[in-house]
Amino acid sequence: MKDLFGQAILDYQTNNQPEDIITETSISEADPMSVAYLFRSFSEMPQLEQKALQMARGKVLDIGCGAGSHSLYLQENSACEVFPIDISEQAIKACQLRGIQNTRVSDVMAIEGELYDTLLLMMNGIGIFGKLKNMTAFLQKLKSLLAPGGQMLIDSSDIIYMFDEDEDGGKWIPSIESYYGEVVFNITYKGQQEEPFDWLYVDYNTLQNAAHANGLQCELVVEGEHFDYLAKLWI
């Protein structure tokens, strides 16, 4: 990977002529995204993100922290001890420049022997699962990182609304062989194109069923305005 997402974050932090990130998926056309959105304050965050931050407690692992806005808020406005991780070296560099502590370049699947009171997966954090078939492996890994009484706070979206309706009022989905929430992402930044990568959106019922199948309790905490939701999982 060229880490173009991380480059955009670091460019914005260092005022190095940042440009919009162009995102395109297997089910949507190219769409510009301002990098500034990744640096939003608490008041600018969606309700479900605000709720997740209010629920976070104890030792927090911020998985896929990006520009670190969630970690920064918790660091400055809560009693939590926050540990932000991301696979992007440039994103972590930007977090460090923002004054965020305990940052680390890491893939959550590689973490062993650590326990946390809160696992935070924001901005469709479940997307890192890639495909539905990976749910068990990821949920079991996350489960292994929970301290006694710990919680996972995960947001995602039911993207069924993006598909056209057929004559009977049902949704027309191009492939019945794969889950409709599996998409392929393409990112372009400053004329460079990132390698395509798998990204997953999960409807709440599917998440709840997967959680129960992996020995986890699951609760719908809040629903957003755009088919998105925040869920809490625990043992």
Side-chain angles (χ1 to χ4, degrees):
M1 300 282 285
K2 299 174 183 176
D3 192 14
L4 297 182
F5 206 77
Q7 181 187 337
I9 290 171
L10 187 57
D11 282 351
Y12 185 89
Q13 175 60 33
T14 58
N15 198 27
N16 184 31
Q17 299 180 315
E19 298 180 7
D20 286 351
I21 301 170
I22 309 300
T23 63
E24 184 177 2
T25 77
S26 48
I27 60 170
S28 63
E29 298 179 351
D31 187 40
M33 183 188 79
S34 172
V35 188
Y37 180 70
L38 303 175
F39 289 77
R40 61 196 177 280
S41 64
F42 181 84
S43 63
E44 297 170 323
M45 293 178 189
Q47 177 194 9
L48 59 84
E49 290 182 19
Q50 293 180 350
K51 181 64 175 178
L53 295 179
Q54 291 165 350
M55 292 175 64
R57 52 177 167 75
K59 189 177 177 183
V60 179
L61 183 66
D62 185 1
I63 300 168
C65 65
S69 294
H70 302 114
S71 288
L72 185 61
Y73 173 80
L74 291 175
Q75 179 179 298
E76 295 181 343
N77 298 278
S78 77
C80 297
E81 185 180 15
V82 191
F83 295 84
I85 64 169
D86 203 290
I87 60 171
S88 165
E89 292 185 11
Q90 297 189 88
I92 290 297
K93 177 74 177 299
C95 288
Q96 293 168 346
L97 291 172
R98 297 184 78 185
I100 302 172
Q101 302 168 5
N102 304 319
T103 56
R104 177 173 31 150
V105 178
S106 179
D107 183 335
V108 67
M109 295 298 281
I111 296 178
E112 299 286 349
E114 300 177 15
L115 296 177
Y116 296 88
D117 301 298
T118 301
L119 303 180
L120 200 61
L121 294 96
M122 293 289 96
M123 288 192 71
N124 190 53
I126 211 164
I128 63 173
F129 294 15
K131 290 186 175 295
L132 194 65
K133 67 180 181 181
N134 300 329
M135 286 277 285
T136 293
F138 271 93
L139 288 177
Q140 286 293 331
K141 168 55 72 173
L142 295 175
K143 184 179 175 182
S144 75
L145 299 176
L146 283 178
Q151 61 178 348
M152 306 178 201
L153 300 174
I154 300 175
D155 70 356
S156 192
S157 300
D158 184 353
I159 61 170
I160 192 68
Y161 72 93
M162 297 184 68
F163 295 88
D164 295 329
E165 288 191 359
D166 59 27
E167 296 177 354
D168 300 322
K171 292 293 185 178
W172 186 83
I173 299 173
S175 174
I176 60 173
E177 297 177 359
S178 60
Y179 174 63
Y180 67 83
E182 297 176 350
V183 302
V184 177
F185 246 92
N186 292 278
I187 289 175
T188 303
Y189 180 66
K190 289 188 173 180
Q192 294 189 72
Q193 188 165 358
E194 185 62 88
E195 296 175 25
F197 58 91
D198 295 325
W199 196 247
L200 181 66
Y201 294 90
V202 177
D203 68 280
Y204 176 71
N205 287 337
T206 298
L207 175 61
Q208 185 180 49
N209 290 336
H212 290 167
N214 286 279
L216 291 160
Q217 301 297 312
C218 187
E219 174 190 351
L220 180 62
V221 177
V222 63
E223 291 183 276
E225 300 176 354
H226 304 288
F227 305 92
D228 51 342
Y229 64 88
L230 172 67
K232 172 185 173 182
L233 285 69
W234 71 98
I235 298 174

